[in-house]
Amino acid sequence: MITGLVVLAQATADGNAFAQMLVGGISFGAIYALLAMGFVIIFKATSVINFAHGALTGLGAFLVVAFATVLDFPGRFLTSFPEWAQWTANVLTAFAVAALFGVLIERVFLRPMVGEALFAVAIVTLGIDIVVRTITNDFIGTQPRPVGAPWGLNVIDLGWVIIAWSEVIQIVVTVVLLVAIAMFLRTRTGVAMRATAFDQETARAQGVNVGRVFSVAWAIGAFLAAVAGLFYSVFPRRATGVDQATAFIAFRAFPAVIIGGLDSIPGAVVGGFAVGIAESAANTYLGFEFLGNGFPGIVGYLLMMVVLLIRPYGLFGTPEIRRV
Amino acid sequence: MLAVENLEVVYNDVVLVLRGISLEVPDGKIVALLGTNGAGKTTTLRAITGLLDMHEGDVTKGEITFDGADITEEDPAARVRRGISQVMEGRRVFAEMTVDDNLRAGAYSNRDANLVKEARERVMTLFPKLADRRNATAGYLSGGEQQMLAIGRALMQVPKLLILDEPSLGLAPLLVQEVRDIIVEINSQGTAVLLIEQNANMALSIADYGYIMETGKMVMDGDPGKLLKDEDVKEFYLGLHTTGEQKSFRDVKHYKRRKRWLS
Ligand SMILES: Nc1ncnc2c1ncn2[C@@H]1O[C@H](COP(=O)(O)OP(=O)(O)O)[C@@H](O)[C@H]1O
Ligand SMILES: [Mg+2]
């Protein structure tokens, strides 16, 4: 709120800086929104608090590197297509493989835990996080690995604001994904997922295959994490590429989940953009350089604490989260 | 036809809750399953529909067949696809979803778009109130409307057998009448019904056959005429007792047993 006031005061003084701040905040917020949404979908559908979301992000980003630059698959067989189309095909393949890994992780490590205490399952995801992150980091190595994005460092200069092409693409992709997920939730499988999220036993009584719902939820969560991992690893975020710290971005998205209310998908989206904009505003206006480079990372948590003081269940959360 | 034979169910590997019960629901009939609280009615339903696993329950003996096929170990979805549908105790509507989405969830196993459309029309005809409130959030419906929605949802997969667990529970007398008439209507359209009730009056007034269970055992069965005439049933289930507070069969049996031990 205080941040908001400062933002407004400064904005009237300096329109350009405000617009620039918003562009940065919205595009970074999109990354948080994708991560938060995946986290919430997994939590709602399967009742698992997934502390391995960071590992999924790092893994997804690394898969993009692997498919886009190392393997060049399936791009190497698409020689009649332009470079950017080959790259896109590679990245989409990486996303699909990331989704498969999500399904696999749930099936192997978490399915046997169905019915155990929420807490015990959360601890298992912590273990998964460490294992997956360690293995992924071995593959990444010590040097950052660029993803070879075709848009490179190109920007659009509108005079009053500068937007990177990557930001444009990222915002468009995020909006498309939000719409796609909203539409998915209205399909037969989506209805089954919402039913399962609300009451597993009753969903099973309707003939819903709850195991399949779990698989779909993890596929979506891991897919969204991979998309977020890609966009976090390009200019103007971390243009050097994917490295061993990429996975930690998920922790900066965690406040977005709580702000949104833990069990609300629209809440996750709003929370994601709120945290992105708050961080961007703090960078632009508050100039906390003396607090060190880590400061943007805590803005989300500060915002989270303020929101929780006013609304203990987040902006869109259910006061009492049901246990199934 | 549904046939349960000599069914034994244990919770948590130790608590024996059903001690060898048998019952049959022939095609197209209404069968009532009566019993007081804790008799094991809901457990019987869970065994028939495959939901025991979520309650740490296991079938340890006996067999459940539907149209001749042994379904004792099948998963719930497979049983739904065979045409067994249930209205769970306490309605259990998906409160955060709209009426329409509740119905769509009920149609999950029904992959034929035309059949789904027909089923929805049938539900809307049976429950005109639901038609008016298609886009309302289910949690905001009244208790009676939620019960109608739960029944409507169960009809969306066009079941051969509909099992209802205490559908009259917590409803005003007028609504109980309404639920009763709906069940008769559903049955007359060709669906067999297993009606689990504590309200013996209501259930026996429409049933073709009735079973009475107590602490995990069938203690009596027969056609409604016979059950309604039975003095014990009158006393314990129909509230027609002459001697003050209500007792249960269990008390009688204990009393008789004790007397036998004493003599
Ligand atoms: N999940 C469970 N674990 C252990 N015991 C249970 C469980 N569910 C029900 N019971 C016990 O089984 C008996 C029968 O319960 P239930 O089938 O719900 O009876 P009804 O539906 O006739 O009221 C009761 O004594 C109840 O306490
Ligand atoms: Mg019961």
Side-chain angles (χ1 to χ4, degrees), chain B residues 17-18 32-44 89 165-166 169 195-200 211-220 232-239 241 245-253:
Chain B
V17 168
L18 296 187
L33 175 58
L34 308 172
T36 49
N37 235 336
K41 304 183 296 299
T42 300
T43 303
T44 307
E89 189 174 344
D165 195 355
E166 305 209 27
L169 195 71
L195 176 56
I196 298 174
E197 266 297 343
Q198 291 194 52
N199 185 339
Y211 293 87
I212 296 178
M213 64 188 298
E214 273 278 338
T215 52
K217 274 195 130 79
M218 289 299 178
V219 290
M220 200 185 296
D232 291 333
V233 176
K234 262 191 199 163
E235 181 169 355
F236 303 128
Y237 291 97
L238 302 180
H241 48 90
E245 95 251 32
Q246 213 158 340
K247 289 182 283 179
S248 101
F249 267 164
R250 222 175 316 172
D251 301 333
V252 181
K253 278 186 292 186

Side-chain angles (χ1 to χ4, degrees), chain B residues 99-126:
Chain B
V99 167
D100 220 37
D101 283 345
N102 268 271
L103 296 180
R104 288 181 67 203
Y108 184 81
S109 298
N110 189 347
R111 300 302 298 265
D112 181 334
N114 285 329
L115 272 183
V116 172
K117 198 160 158 265
E118 269 171 43
R120 176 173 281 117
E121 272 157 23
R122 175 185 177 201
V123 169
M124 294 305 177
T125 315
L126 277 171

